Amino acid sequence: MSDLNELETSLLASVQDAADDAALEAVRVSALGKKGTISGRMKDLGKMGPEDRKSAGQALNALKDKVASAIQARQQDLREAELENRLATEFVDVTLPAAPEAAGSVHPVSQVWEEVVQIFGDLGFAVAEGPHIETDWYNFGALNIPDEHPARQEHDTFYLNPGEDGSRMVLRTHTSPVQIRSMEAMEPPIRIIAPGRTFRSDWDKTHTPMFHQIEGLVIDEHTHMGHLKWCLEEFCKAFFEVETVEMRFRASHFPFTEPSMEVDIRYHEEDGKLTFGIGENWMEILGSGMVHPNVIRAGGLDPDKYQGFAFGMGLDRIATLKYGIPDLRGYFDGDLRWLKHYGFRALQVPTLAGGLS
Ligand code: PHE
């Protein structure tokens, strides 16, 4: 009998020690399973005399019940512990606010920059770059603007202090120096755009001392002015997201193009709000023309063999038109209220497939 007591103690201890369902099942099989200890003892009953068999049978049945209910109780405990654990770890604080909106916004210039790159990229243009601080040669000389040329004054240039040799670097007044740098770096056919910052000492409703331009340059053996017009029309339709665009090509003059044209676009202004497409006003958005032979030569190419067109467009200006932003100065005030009002949602990159804006 004491042997049965021992068995009971050890079985109940194993049940209590079982840390999970699998361990508990192992204990059950080892005690109550077909080949388990208790089942083994049951089989031995047959060898006993009737009296012994009766008392031993009762004791074994009692033990069997005890162990079975201990297993059940342990199982219940394990379930509850597991639930407790899940409730503690999978806790959801319903009082927390929902995921916040991204706090920043995309500046209209960045947005328009991306849009323009998308459109010209689709037309087969690659993006080129140049430095903000330029030599006099790249900003003026190579672009057929000699020392005494009036364009130098018109550009309201920011000059740096002269270097030891007396030469002065400039903050580039336009993106046109990238024309020269691209001709030096590439073999025709060349098709590039160069968006970037430009600088002129100027400050009013339509001028800021730092502003953005995008240069376009196509150089090969056959490109003519028809290509230029088509290209700009395609651009305007895509950019302003309209079927037709009323553009005005006005004869003009730039030292680096011959012939030269300025391009205006129609707009309407009411209560300080601008609407594109309709209206009685024209806004100049870009300068363009056929690249001057002297410029092609300065870029290291043969003007008798190569020709092409160039254009330069104000990114801030076209952002103004498309998104109805009346005063250019607000662009660079760093006023958060302005950015909230005119900014674009962060992480939403403009694509042609997505309709750009
Ligand atoms: N660089 C000129 C400007 O800043 C624009 C331009 C570029 C004109 C290319 C013609 C060709 O006004």
Side-chain angles (χ1 to χ4, degrees):
M1 250 347 202
S2 71
D3 152 52
L4 214 55
N5 283 342
E6 255 170 48
L7 181 60
E8 176 180 326
T9 315
S10 101
L11 283 178
L12 291 181
S14 323
V15 168
Q16 216 48 48
D17 286 348
D20 53 34
D21 279 349
L24 196 57
E25 177 62 8
V27 175
R28 191 191 66 77
V29 171
S30 79
L32 309 174
K34 259 192 193 156
K35 293 179 183 160
T37 29
I38 295 181
S39 316
R41 301 279 181 121
M42 292 281 195
K43 279 181 204 147
D44 292 342
L45 290 176
K47 299 172 196 157
M48 292 179 182
E51 280 306 307
D52 287 348
R53 185 191 304 155
K54 191 175 173 202
S55 62
Q58 277 171 352
L60 271 177
N61 271 325
L63 174 59
K64 188 177 154 187
D65 288 347
K66 232 183 207 169
V67 171
S69 58
I71 288 177
Q72 218 171 26
R74 180 69 186 147
Q75 203 165 41
Q76 189 67 25
D77 285 352
L78 285 175
R79 294 265 148 79
E80 275 167 22
E82 191 196 321
L83 185 63
E84 275 314 304
N85 187 34
R86 281 185 54 190
L87 285 175
T89 54
E90 295 175 15
F91 174 76
V92 175
D93 184 353
V94 293
T95 66
L96 278 175
E101 285 265 310
S105 61
V106 174
H107 194 284
V109 171
S110 306
Q111 168 84 12
V112 164
W113 180 313
E114 288 299 325
E115 292 180 13
V116 169
V117 167
Q118 278 280 327
I119 296 167
F120 281 109
D122 191 51
L123 290 174
F125 286 75
V127 174
E129 287 184 321
H132 294 159
I133 301 174
E134 269 295 9
T135 61
D136 190 274
W137 167 252
Y138 280 111
N139 196 78
F140 294 120
L143 290 160
N144 200 32
I145 313 176
D147 278 346
E148 66 289 356
H149 198 281
R152 295 219 178 203
Q153 277 82 59
E154 284 161 24
H155 275 212
D156 297 312
T157 314
F158 287 115
Y159 285 95
L160 275 70
N161 288 332
E164 270 165 24
D165 61 356
S167 69
R168 294 166 98 187
M169 302 288 279
V170 301
L171 292 185
R172 68 177 181 189
T173 58
H174 49 181
T175 42
S176 300
V178 185
Q179 288 188 31
I180 307 297
R181 292 183 176 276
S182 301
M183 284 190 256
E184 286 175 345
M186 300 165 83
E187 286 288 322
I190 298 171
R191 284 184 205 96
I192 58 105
I193 51 165
R197 291 191 169 168
T198 46
F199 309 85
R200 286 182 207 176
S201 179
D202 216 346
W203 178 248
D204 62 34
K205 198 174 161 191
T206 50
H207 296 90
T208 52
M210 188 282 293
F211 58 108
H212 298 82
Q213 283 192 339
I214 177 167
E215 195 79 8
L217 176 72
V218 173
I219 295 286
D220 58 23
E221 293 178 28
H222 310 289
T223 289
H224 55 68
M225 217 147 81
H227 296 126
L228 168 61
K229 280 188 77 175
W230 178 85
C231 193
L232 293 176
E233 270 166 13
E234 285 304 301
F235 166 77
C236 282
K237 278 193 274 184
F239 180 74
F240 291 108
E241 301 176 47
V242 290
E243 292 291 318
T244 52
V245 169
E246 211 180 334
M247 302 171 84
R248 183 166 77 176
F249 290 83
R250 210 163 15 84
S252 182
H253 178 262
F254 299 101
F256 32 90
T257 46
E258 181 58 39
S260 305
M261 300 177 295
E262 279 177 310
V263 176
D264 306 330
I265 215 141
R266 273 203 189 278
Y267 76 99
H268 175 68
E269 184 170 5
E270 200 173 302
D271 301 332
K273 238 185 103 65
L274 301 180
T275 322
F276 164 76
I278 49 158
E280 51 303 321
N281 305 313
W282 291 101
M283 188 186 267
E284 179 205 325
I285 56 163
L286 63 88
S288 65
M290 299 304 293
V291 181
H292 196 289
N294 288 350
V295 174
I296 294 183
R297 199 173 294 114
L301 299 174
D302 178 1
D304 290 329
K305 184 167 179 202
Y306 295 114
Q307 61 184 45
F309 66 76
F311 60 87
M313 184 161 46
L315 283 183
D316 321 84
R317 281 275 175 92
I318 60 171
T320 285
L321 270 180
K322 181 165 177 182
Y323 295 112
I325 308 170
D327 191 330
L328 270 191
R329 286 170 295 196
Y331 277 62
F332 310 115
D333 280 348
D335 185 334
L336 280 178
R337 288 165 307 176
W338 188 93
L339 278 172
K340 272 211 179 100
H341 184 73
Y342 289 114
F344 294 86
R345 287 183 51 189
L347 306 179
Q348 272 202 340
V349 183
T351 62
L352 279 178
L356 283 185
S357 60

